[in-house]
Structure formats: structure tokens, C-alpha cells
Amino acid sequence: MKRVESAIRDGRCVLCLGKRALNEKGVLEMLRQHDTLSIVTLADEVPDGVQALSEEALSPACSSDGGVIVLLDPDPSADAAGLKILDELMGSAANTPRLVMVCKAFNPFSFPARMRLMKIQQMKDRVRDFVKAISGLELSERAQPVVGFAAMRAEPQKEKPAPEKEPTKQRAPQAVFVGRESEIKAVQEAVAAGGSLVVEGPSGIGKSWLLERALTSLGDAAPEILPEVMLSDGAGFDTLATRLAEIVGGLSVVTGEERPIPRKVARTIAEAVSSVTPGEKVLVISGLDSLLRRDGTFLKDDRLSFLLRALLEVESGLSLVFVTTHPPRSKGENLGCRRVELGGLAREDLPAFFEAYRAVNVEEDQLEDVFERTHGHPMALRVFAAAWENSGSKLLDKKKFMRARGVADVERLKAYLKTQVEDLSKDERRALSITSHCIEPIAATSVSELGVKRGERLSLLSKGLLDSTAGSENRRYSVHSMVTRCLSRRERENFELLEHFAQQYREMANTQDDSLSKLAAQQRSNRLFTGARKGRLRMKLSVPDGDGVMGAVLDMGRAKRWDLAASVLKEALKQDPYNTEMRLIKAELMSASGAPHKAISALYVDTARLCPTPEVFHHEASWHQSARGGAAARGDANATKSLERGLGRFPKNGRLLRRLAGLKAGQGQLQQAEALLRQSLEIEPGIADGWSLLGSVLLERGDAPWTEAEECLRKAVEMDPGGPLQLTRLGRLLRHKGMVDAESRAALWTEAEDLLTLGAKKDGRNPTAGLELALLWIDKAQLGDEVDLEQAESYLRRALKVSKKNAQAQVGLVRILARTDRAEDAAQRLQNLLSRDINYMAQAALGELFAFQGRIFRAEKELRTAWKQAPENAPNRELIRLELQRLEDLISSGAAVDIEKQAEGQELVEPTTQEVGQGPRREAGKTVVRRKGGKSKNAAKDAVASEEPAEAAEAAEPAEAAEPAEAAEPAEAAEAAEPAEAAEAAEAAEAAEAAEPAVASSSLNEEDPSSGLKA
């Protein structure tokens, strides 16, 4: 193989393909892409990109000494004519080349005479493997403008397309910037004054275009634009903190061996940044929305959120511009920083878009229709204008085409972009994939070096899938994030492309004189090398740089490569032992790999001591709740202790208070939960989850009419109108309120049904809203209303998939089965319920089962028992009373007797409950009692000795043999009680989980799009 490699490097090698090699899938396509290789064929038909046998074709191997001809899987019978020609050409050549045979086996005597006498070297490889090997060799050694991308080139150079398939000449649409005069002025004034500025707007609204226009149009007065920090592209606390430290002249607070806790680090950096002269420098921080919840609060209380909060709230001299789809909020309230909110373009700006895409014959009333559909959304207008050139006014005949409810509604736009990307040709999609890897807009020459042809760029531009800067000179290209998401993950994360750009940023860092630009290039290069799985090529920096490593370690954990992940983590923590997030990832890996409980607990304690954040205690609580082999109650108890320790360190953290309150409520400690929630609302009065959870606790704790609980829940819905959790909790309260308020029952249940239907639609993954809606429908069916029991059953079964021990779902399903003539299935489920836990709702469901089978007297008995067992403040008690009253009316009127007579011929289906003490018993005197300490030396003698008195007792008094079984009754009763306690613990865990949906979860069990690096 070394001889072949050397010949390829020096241009002394010729590849000769047999018919079998030509027909092997993928071989010819790979070879066509390497224009420096000489490729010939033994076959009669010569495909494109391959030469026929001739002296000129074999000249690289025969014109000088040391030439090599590689025969790829020749067939002596099928390639006989070609082998004969090859034999003659080698005989007449000035220099005889060496022959290398690539095949599993061959017979030298089946080849022509001259070839038999030659020394033939065999390589026992598959043709495909050999081609891949030389492809990597050639690409790494030959001089190319772009290293490693010959495989991404277009079709072979000698391709001769048919005339009818030739692409038509296209003209690139003009890149125009229209409108936004007031927004540009607001951005310029905010930048000149310094401090924090939040530029917000829906995806595709043109936030980056606005900033570029506003900052570059200032001329000589333009401030220095610092390298952008992209939080959604792998940048985290280390990237942002070290950049800011470099801006203010370097801070030991991020590099010192003994650093303060993360909160003090964030405060110190924010105070130092405020000393910068206003208006001189601008730092753009994009991707902030990737760290925010729907209500604008931060997803996690980690180091990065500490720093971002400090930067958003401080009066900084440095101009910090945050780009986000929705504004950040602190404690549920809007921050005091400046805001520029982008909406749709004005109606008079629409003609410019259509003129830029050369869409003609667009009338004013048609533009009005376009504006009503798109609401002036620039991205939607762009694709509308691009589609108009081919379809024209036919687009307006499609009533749903690009029709949005508002400028923030981009669902139809995303669906259309997805369709457009799927309809691209193979070359266009490859070109789009290559361009999407560019972190910054890239020049046309660089795009061409990557193998993207001009025609492919024009086609993508004309379809609105590629962005370009305005002007014909120095035009740069980029792909919008909305279009990038339409590609597959493999297309978005091509390792060769990531490595190529990493090398470019590495070279850029070596040529930079400015320390900040050099640091930014180094950090980007390291993240790209990590994303390309080339972590060994990372540069060692003098500042912490662990942002890219964490995503790679998580990928290793998902692949269960524990040793490799542990070694990478060990090296990273050795460089930066104060990286809180990396320590938490280490805890996840240890837990997933089965590390000892004490070791993981010690890691959490050490992390809380060195670099504490509230997220550490959330993470530890989640670990306790998900621990294997332990009861749910024990996990909740340990999680409660972890959260209490967290409150001791961060007493004013509202998220810790809310989660602890949720656990307390699940454990039945409603009074403590209420106190914690009221404390959290004093700290963070603008958080909808706090009001919602307080209303839910008051519902469980108080009696009807739950006035304060309803006020809290309605306030939560007002703060978070689309929150499925808030809608579900308010719907649940109204359902309960309708049970006890007969006069307002219809109105309350109608409102509850609307809220629960919307909640189930908003969040289909959470079955709580569907469960409450199904129970409401069953209650309405009990009172004679017509409901969709089939849909209710599907909601209940979905809830049981999440938690098989959900008693509410089980009872609700039994009630549906009884109403739909499936008594046997209902009886079986009731038997499981009654054997585990006898509660009043299961007893009432048993009464309904008897009633639907025509056993009115049995049903009345069971319902009366359930009514007596129900607590006085239980809202379901009123519905049981109504059903009991209906049965009593049937009995008093005599109709019950007629119903019983009609059911006499039918077999009664009922659950079979086994009473304690019944069932098979062991024969008295035959039980051997084993010692717990293990086998003793005299175990056999002890067993015999224990049997002799028992046999004597059996012979003397047979009647006394039943006493051991009777004595066992308390033990059996205790065993029967244990599942009930386990069920209660499971329900408590579910209640706590529903109370705090933002519980930290293991990243190893999730495919986080943000964990994979996208350049």
C-alpha cells in the first residue's frame, strides 16, 4: 500500500477498472470526484470521467520508472478483450510498470502471457474500501484550494448533459433593505448612550439586517463592532466571561486559582464593564431566546444566567445588544434596559420586494391580499415574491398559502420552507448544506472554493433560501436559521466542513494583532474542532474554554462511551475545576454508568462548596428522584433535603421555593407548601407558575367555593394566557366547583371544558389536561349529557401509559368501560384497584358497574358505602349523592324491581376479591423455619429437630394446626397495605412533578439540538 500511496502522490499511478468494479455501487461516483487520478477501464463502454485504454491514458505509469497500475477487481472472462489490450500496451511501453491487484482472489494463469510473467502484488481488500483509503490519502496530500472537500464537488468534469436538461440562465434577485427608519434611529441612539439594548422580534423579522444597517450607516462615527457572541452556537459562560474580561483589560476573577462563587464573579464582571466609555464599542450577543422560557425567565439558574442578568440590569458603558425572539424578564417583570421591538414592514414597502425578485404584473389589490396574509413579515414576503415569478396570481387562489394570524405566526412559513428544501435537487441541497456551515456571511470566492457553483447559488437565491448582502461588489452569502433547521442534522454537521472552518479560524487567530479578535477566533476554532470530533487539535488557551467540551461529553455519554467521556472530563476539570456545569455533567455520567451512590453525593457536596449555583441543588434533587431501586417516597424525601440545603445557600431564589413547595404538596404537607409559595411570590410576584401552584394547593387544602384559589389561578392564566399548566389547573378547579354548585354547574363546566381542551391542544406530551378533560366528560355523562366517550378513553389510556398506577385514570377508565358494555374488562381493573387500595371513588365505580348491569340494589349499597367513606369536603361526594338519589328513586318507585327482573337471565360480572385467610395453606407441621444468618453447621439437625415437635403436635391436636395461619393474618394485612402506600407515594411524586414542570432532567436521555455544534 505504501508503494501505491507514493505513486499517487507523485502522479505515477493509473487505476484500471474492470466491469465488476464499474458496476459496484458508489465506486465510480467516488473516483469521478478526484480529478488528479488517472482512471481507465477494461470495458468496451467508457463512462463519463473515465478514459479508454491507450498509450496516453497509461502514460503516467509507463513514462517513467516506478509507475504503478492498479487493477480493480478484473474478471478474466468478462474483461478478456481489455486485458489483452492492456498487455500489449505494457509490452510496447518504454518502462514496465508494476501491477497491483485489488481483489479477494485471482488466478494468474487466466491472464495474458506477458502479465503472467510479471510480479503481481495482491491487496485483499474490497474495491470500495481501497477507493475510500486512497480518497483520504489524496485529499490530505494534494494541493487544493480547500482541503478535504473534493468529495463535495459536483458531477464529473466531462459531464455532457442533454440539451433539454441544460439550466436556463438565471439572474440573482436584488438584496434590498426597505423601511425601518424609526428602528434604525432607535438602535443608533441606544448604542451611542451605552448600556444594554434588547432587539426583539419573531424569527425571520430581520434583526441581524437591522443591526448591520444601523451600525454601518454611521460612517466615521460608527463604534467599534466587537466579535459577536452566539449563545445558540455553542457559546456559554466561559466564552462570554472571557470576552468581557478581555474588553476591560483582563480580570483575574475568571482565571485565578481561587475564584469567588459564580454570583460574585458575574457581579464583578458587570461592574468592570460599566467603566467602559459609552458609545465606543458594541458587543452583539445573539441567541438569548435559547436560554429563556416562554414567559421570558431563564430556564436555569446557572453561571451564564447569573452573568446575563447582571449585564441586563447594570448601567454599562459598553453597548451590549441582545438579539432575541422574546424579551428577557427578571422575577417575571420586564427589565429596565432599552428595547427595540421589530414588527412587520409597512404596506408601502411591499412593492420593493416584488421588484427585487423581478415579479411583474402585481396589482395593488393583490399586494393588499399579500399584506393581509403575511402581515409584513420580511421572510414571508421574500418567499412570496420568489414564488410569484413562477406561479403568479395563482398563489392568491390558495386560501391557506402563507396566511398567518399575526406577524409572530411563522408556522406556515416554516412548513413552506421545509417543502422548498425537500424539493431541491441533489446539487442544490448540497450547496445549501455547505453554505449553512458558515458562521459568518461568506464571500463568493470562498463559496466557490467549497464546491458551490454559481448556478446553484443563483437558484437558491431565486427561491429565497439563500441570503446575500446588498450590492454586487464584495457580496457575501449566508443561510437563515429558519432554512438551516429544514436540513437534517447530518447535513448541518458535516465533520469535514467543521474541520475546514476550524482550520480557517485557527489561521485567522495566528494573524490577528488585536487580542480580543485573536481570542474570539481561537474560541470559535476550538468549538468547531470539538464539533468535528477532532478535540485533539484544540488550542490550549490561558483562559477557561470548556463550552464546546460539554456537548461532546454528553454525546459520548449517550453513546455509552464512559471511559472516553471520563478521560475528557478529567482533563477539562483539571484545567478549570470551577466549571459548575461540567461537574453536573460528570454527576450525570457517573449516575448513568452505575457509580456508587456515595461518590455521586460527594461530588454534589464538593460542587456546592466550590462553585455553587441553584442549579446544583435542582440537579441533585432530580438525581434523587430518578434514582433506581429506591421507593418514590424516599427519593422525594432526599430531594426535599437537597432543596432545603439550596435555600440555605440561596434563600431568595423563587424557583427553589416553588419546587420545594411542589414536593411538600405532593407529600401532603399543604400548610408548609402554602407558606413557601407565598414567600416565593413576595420575591417574584410576576411568575405565573407561583400563582398557579398556590391556587392548586389552596384547592386541595380548602373547601368550596375556593375563592382565593380561583383568584390565584385566574391571575396565573392572565399572566400566561397560553400556558397549558395554568389552563389545566384552572379547568380542574372549575370542574370541582361545578360538582358542588348545582346552579352554576353548566356554565362552570362549559368554561372548564374550553380551558382543558385548549390545554390538551397546547401540550400534547403532558397527559394531565387530557386526563382532567376525560374525567369532566364522564361526570357530564353521569348527569345525562352527550359526550365523546371514545376520545375520553384515549385521553385516559394516554395518561396510564405515563403512569400505570394513576388511580384517577384507572377509575375513570372503569366508568367508561361500564358505560360501553365492557363489564369484564371493567371488573378486572376494579379488582386490581380494590386489592391495592380501597377508596371511595373505586367503591363508587363498582356501584356504577352494578347499575349498568341492572343490579340496582347492589349498586345502591356500594354507592351508599362510597358516600359514607368520602371526606366531607370532597367535591365528588355531591356527584355520588346525586347518583345514589337516582337509584333510591328507582327503588321507591318500584322500577328497580322491573330492572332486576330483566337482568335475571344475564350473568353478573363483578370483581373477585380474595379475603384474608382464604386460599391454599401449607400442611401444618411441614414448614421449615430458616435462620437468617445463613447455613450453620448443624442446619440439618436443627431442621429435623424443628419437624419432630410439629409432627407430634399434629398427631395430638389436629384442630390446633390452624393457629399459625390465623396468627399470620396481621402480617398478610400489612403486606396488603404496602402496595397502597407505594401507590400513595407514586401519586405524591406525580403531583410534585406536575407542580414544577421545570425540573432538571438528565441530558443523556435527550437529543438536545443545542448540544450538537452547528457552525
Side-chain angles (χ1 to χ4, degrees):
M1 186 62 184
K2 292 182 179 180
R3 183 178 286 112
V4 176
E5 293 175 358
S6 178
I8 291 175
R9 293 191 189 99
D10 300 338
R12 296 180 282 103
C13 181
V14 175
L15 300 183
C16 189
L17 279 70
K19 285 187 177 180
R20 288 188 298 208
L22 285 174
N23 295 329
E24 188 169 349
K25 185 178 180 181
V27 171
L28 188 58
E29 285 74 9
M30 287 189 288
L31 290 174
R32 278 174 171 171
Q33 297 165 357
H34 310 305
D35 50 5
T36 60
L37 288 177
S38 298
I39 308 172
V40 299
T41 179
L42 299 173
D44 296 334
E45 298 181 0
V46 181
D48 294 336
V50 182
Q51 305 178 56
L53 285 171
S54 63
E55 292 183 2
E56 182 180 359
L58 296 179
S59 60
C62 301
S63 59
S64 60
D65 292 335
V68 176
I69 294 179
V70 181
L71 290 170
L72 300 178
D73 202 7
D75 186 357
S77 58
D79 301 325
L83 288 171
K84 185 177 180 180
I85 297 173
L86 178 63
D87 184 66
E88 294 174 355
L89 291 175
M90 287 192 301
S92 61
N95 298 282
T96 304
R98 290 179 176 270
L99 279 182
V100 177
M101 201 77 64
V102 179
C103 56
K104 289 295 184 181
F106 75 100
N107 182 7
F109 297 99
S110 61
F111 290 91
R114 188 178 289 104
M115 296 178 65
R116 296 178 195 171
L117 302 177
M118 297 178 65
K119 186 177 181 180
I120 301 176
Q121 179 183 354
Q122 182 187 5
M123 298 178 62
K124 295 184 178 182
D125 291 335
R126 295 189 308 172
V127 176
R128 179 184 294 273
D129 297 337
F130 173 79
V131 172
K132 286 183 179 179
I134 64 171
S135 299
L137 169 71
E138 183 195 9
L139 292 174
S140 62
E141 295 294 336
R142 64 188 240 209
Q144 290 289 336
V146 179
V147 178
F149 290 99
M152 296 194 178
R153 295 189 161 200
E155 292 297 319
Q157 296 178 350
K158 294 187 178 181
E159 182 182 4
K160 299 178 180 179
E164 62 272 15
K165 295 183 179 180
E166 290 183 358
T168 58
K169 292 184 179 180
Q170 301 183 53
R171 296 177 62 188
Q174 300 175 357
V176 296
F177 186 93
V178 295
R180 306 293 195 198
E181 290 82 6
S182 60
E183 291 89 343
I184 290 175
K185 184 177 180 180
V187 169
Q188 292 174 346
E189 291 177 355
V191 168
S196 298
L197 169 67
V198 176
V199 179
E200 60 181 277
S203 182
I205 204 69
K207 298 182 287 293
S208 299
W209 280 51
L210 173 71
L211 289 177
E212 183 179 3
R213 186 81 169 188
L215 296 178
T216 56
S217 60
L218 291 173
D220 297 335
E224 180 185 356
I225 304 175
L226 304 176
E228 183 178 352
V229 177
M230 301 179 182
L231 299 176
S232 59
D233 198 38
F237 175 82
D238 288 347
T239 302
L240 182 57
T242 52
R243 295 268 189 97
L244 293 172
E246 190 65 35
I247 291 171
V248 297
L251 289 174
S252 60
V253 71
V254 297
T255 58
E257 294 183 358
E258 295 184 1
R259 301 177 210 167
I261 62 175
R263 175 173 285 179
K264 292 184 178 180
V265 172
R267 191 179 304 131
T268 304
I269 293 176
E271 291 174 356
V273 169
S274 62
S275 62
V276 179
T277 304
E280 287 188 354
K281 298 180 180 180
V282 178
L283 177 63
V284 178
I285 304 174
S286 61
L288 182 63
D289 49 282
S290 62
L291 308 176
L292 302 177
R293 291 190 181 90
R294 186 181 59 256
D295 60 354
T297 57
F298 283 90
L299 282 168
K300 297 181 178 180
D301 293 325
D302 54 2
R303 298 185 302 164
L304 182 57
S305 66
F306 280 162
L307 180 56
L308 290 172
R309 284 196 194 97
L311 294 175
L312 286 164
E313 296 173 357
V314 73
E315 290 292 335
S316 172
L318 175 67
S319 297
L320 297 168
V321 182
F322 296 89
V323 180
T324 177
T325 56
H326 54 284
R329 305 176 72 195
S330 178
K331 299 180 180 180
E333 299 176 350
N334 292 328
L335 296 169
C337 55
R338 297 179 180 88
R339 293 172 55 190
V340 174
E341 185 176 358
L342 294 187
L345 295 173
R347 163 66 178 80
E348 54 269 18
D349 297 330
L350 265 65
F353 271 90
F354 285 83
E355 291 176 5
Y357 279 82
R358 299 179 176 84
V360 295
N361 300 326
V362 187
E363 300 178 359
E364 288 296 323
D365 58 339
Q366 294 174 338
L367 286 176
E368 191 68 31
D369 191 0
V370 172
F371 182 74
E372 291 178 359
R373 292 172 183 241
T374 60
H375 300 276
H377 192 286
M379 191 76 173
L381 287 174
R382 188 172 78 181
V383 297
F384 213 121
W388 190 278
E389 185 177 1
N390 297 326
S391 303
S393 59
K394 294 181 181 179
L395 294 174
L396 301 178
D397 297 335
K398 302 176 182 179
K399 295 183 179 180
K400 294 184 179 180
F401 182 75
M402 286 308 202
R403 187 173 295 280
R405 293 185 295 270
V407 70
D409 181 17
V410 294
E411 295 304 319
R412 293 191 187 276
L413 174 60
K414 291 179 180 179
Y416 178 77
L417 291 174
K418 182 70 174 177
T419 304
Q420 288 291 96
V421 172
E422 290 176 353
D423 291 342
L424 292 176
S425 65
K426 183 179 179 181
D427 292 339
E428 291 173 343
R429 185 154 183 155
R430 171 189 52 80
L432 185 65
S433 172
I434 291 174
T435 316
S436 67
H437 285 75
C438 305
I439 298 178
E440 299 172 331
I442 188 170
T445 55
S446 301
V447 175
S448 299
E449 290 175 355
L450 291 173
V452 179
K453 296 180 179 179
R454 181 174 180 272
E456 297 165 354
R457 298 200 302 269
L458 292 178
S459 177
L460 293 174
L461 284 169
S462 64
K463 295 177 181 178
L465 301 178
L466 191 65
D467 294 348
S468 69
T469 54
S472 58
E473 297 182 0
N474 300 324
R475 178 172 290 183
R476 293 170 294 141
Y477 300 92
S478 60
V479 180
H480 196 274
S481 58
M482 294 181 70
V483 181
T484 303
R485 295 190 192 100
C486 299
L487 297 169
S488 65
R489 182 173 180 178
R490 180 170 294 182
E491 290 174 316
R492 298 194 308 266
E493 298 179 8
N494 185 288
F495 291 168
E496 292 183 351
L497 281 169
L498 294 176
E499 184 180 359
H500 165 69
F501 285 113
Q503 292 284 5
Q504 282 196 343
Y505 278 107
R506 187 171 194 167
E507 295 173 2
M508 186 189 303
N510 295 331
T511 59
Q512 291 289 339
D513 295 331
D514 181 51
S515 58
L516 179 63
S517 300
K518 183 175 183 178
L519 175 62
Q522 289 174 337
Q523 289 174 336
R524 284 181 175 175
S525 175
N526 284 354
R527 289 203 306 274
L528 289 170
F529 273 130
T530 304
R533 304 300 190 267
K534 295 295 180 68
R536 62 184 181 277
L537 300 179
R538 288 167 49 91
M539 293 178 284
K540 290 187 178 180
L541 306 182
S542 59
V543 296
D545 186 34
D547 292 339
V549 178
M550 291 185 283
V553 171
L554 284 174
D555 289 339
M556 297 173 194
R558 295 188 187 104
K560 297 184 178 181
R561 303 175 67 181
W562 313 120
D563 295 339
L564 181 59
S567 63
V568 173
L569 266 178
K570 182 179 180 181
E571 183 64 25
L573 286 173
K574 184 178 179 181
Q575 297 178 4
D576 183 17
Y578 294 90
N579 192 320
T580 309
E581 291 74 32
M582 202 172 295
R583 285 174 166 271
L584 297 182
I585 290 176
K586 182 179 179 180
E588 286 190 30
L589 291 174
M590 292 174 66
S591 177
S593 59
H597 186 279
K598 291 183 178 179
I600 302 174
S601 182
L603 177 60
Y604 281 118
V605 172
D606 194 37
T607 304
R609 178 180 58 84
L610 284 177
C611 43
T613 63
E615 199 62 32
V616 174
F617 303 98
H618 281 293
H619 206 278
E620 184 181 3
S622 298
W623 169 63
H624 283 304
Q625 288 183 302
S626 62
R628 299 176 182 176
R634 186 165 64 247
D636 287 346
N638 292 332
T640 301
K641 294 179 181 178
S642 300
L643 296 174
E644 288 173 348
R645 288 198 304 272
L647 282 173
R649 199 68 183 266
F650 302 96
K652 294 185 178 181
N653 186 272
R655 187 163 165 248
L656 284 172
L657 288 167
R658 287 192 299 275
R659 187 172 181 188
L660 181 59
L663 284 176
K664 294 285 188 182
Q667 295 167 1
Q669 303 176 22
L670 298 177
Q671 187 174 359
Q672 297 182 24
E674 180 184 349
L676 290 169
L677 288 170
R678 293 190 186 278
Q679 183 181 353
S680 72
L681 289 173
E682 291 178 1
I683 299 171
E684 297 179 343
I687 298 295
D689 287 344
W691 293 103
S692 174
L693 186 54
L694 178 59
S696 181
V697 169
L698 293 174
L699 172 64
E700 296 295 331
R701 187 182 176 195
D703 298 331
W706 305 290
T707 304
E708 186 181 2
E710 184 176 357
E711 291 176 357
C712 293
L713 289 172
R714 290 195 181 277
K715 189 171 184 178
V717 172
E718 183 181 353
M719 290 180 175
D720 187 13
L725 187 61
Q726 333 304 350
L727 296 172
T728 302
R729 286 173 174 168
L730 180 56
R732 180 169 178 264
L733 182 141
L734 295 177
R735 179 175 77 89
H736 287 183
K737 194 172 182 180
M739 293 178 185
V740 298
D741 190 353
E743 295 180 358
S744 306
R745 180 176 297 148
L748 291 170
W749 278 4
T750 300
E751 185 181 1
E753 185 174 3
D754 294 339
L755 292 171
L756 293 172
T757 303
L758 182 59
K761 183 179 179 180
K762 287 280 186 180
D763 189 3
R765 295 178 298 176
N766 188 355
T768 308
L771 171 62
E772 292 292 335
L773 182 58
L775 296 177
L776 173 61
W777 282 343
I778 298 171
D779 293 339
K780 294 179 71 175
Q782 178 183 340
L783 298 183
D785 295 344
E786 292 185 3
V787 295
D788 189 355
L789 289 179
E790 184 177 354
Q791 182 64 31
E793 182 177 352
S794 67
Y795 281 137
L796 294 174
R797 292 190 182 276
R798 189 181 304 172
L800 289 173
K801 282 185 179 180
V802 178
S803 176
K804 294 181 179 179
K805 295 183 178 180
N806 192 322
Q808 282 188 322
Q810 290 281 12
V811 171
L813 188 56
V814 166
R815 298 176 68 188
I816 289 180
L817 294 174
R819 284 169 167 77
T820 53
D821 297 331
R822 288 176 285 177
E824 293 183 359
D825 193 0
Q828 180 63 39
R829 291 183 176 276
L830 265 180
Q831 179 177 336
N832 297 334
L833 273 174
L834 294 173
S835 63
R836 188 177 69 210
D837 182 17
I838 301 178
N839 57 65
Y840 73 98
M841 286 306 300
Q843 201 80 26
L846 178 60
E848 290 188 25
L849 177 61
F850 287 144
F852 279 99
Q853 295 183 77
R855 305 307 198 269
I856 304 301
F857 294 99
R858 290 283 302 275
E860 190 270 344
K861 177 184 176 183
E862 298 295 340
L863 283 168
R864 186 172 297 279
T865 304
W867 182 74
K868 291 180 179 179
Q869 291 178 351
E872 291 291 335
N873 59 349
N876 309 72
R877 195 168 189 265
E878 178 63 19
L879 293 183
I880 296 175
R881 187 191 67 79
L882 293 176
E883 182 67 14
L884 183 60
Q885 183 179 353
R886 186 181 71 85
L887 296 180
E888 289 177 348
D889 292 342
L890 290 175
I891 294 173
S892 61
S893 64
V897 178
D898 297 334
I899 297 174
E900 290 274 355
K901 288 181 180 180
Q902 294 177 4
E904 282 183 357
Q906 301 175 3
E907 182 181 356
L908 177 63
V909 179
E910 59 180 324
T912 56
T913 55
Q914 183 179 3
E915 296 182 2
V916 179
Q918 295 181 356
R921 295 184 180 180
R922 294 184 178 180
E923 188 177 351
K926 300 297 183 181
T927 302
V928 178
V929 180
R930 303 282 185 188
R931 296 179 183 268
K932 292 185 178 181
K935 294 183 178 180
S936 63
K937 296 181 179 179
N938 300 323
K941 294 181 180 180
D942 295 339
V944 173
S946 63
E947 288 179 3
E948 290 177 354
E951 292 176 357
E954 180 184 6
E957 295 179 350
E960 297 177 2
E963 292 180 1
E966 295 173 359
E969 288 180 3
E972 293 178 5
E975 291 178 3
E978 289 177 1
E981 295 174 359
E984 291 176 359
E987 292 175 5
E990 292 166 8
E993 183 179 356
E996 179 56 54
V999 173
S1001 60
S1002 174
S1003 303
L1004 298 177
N1005 299 326
E1006 299 175 357
E1007 283 295 333
D1008 187 2
S1010 64
S1011 65
L1013 186 61
K1014 197 277 299 179

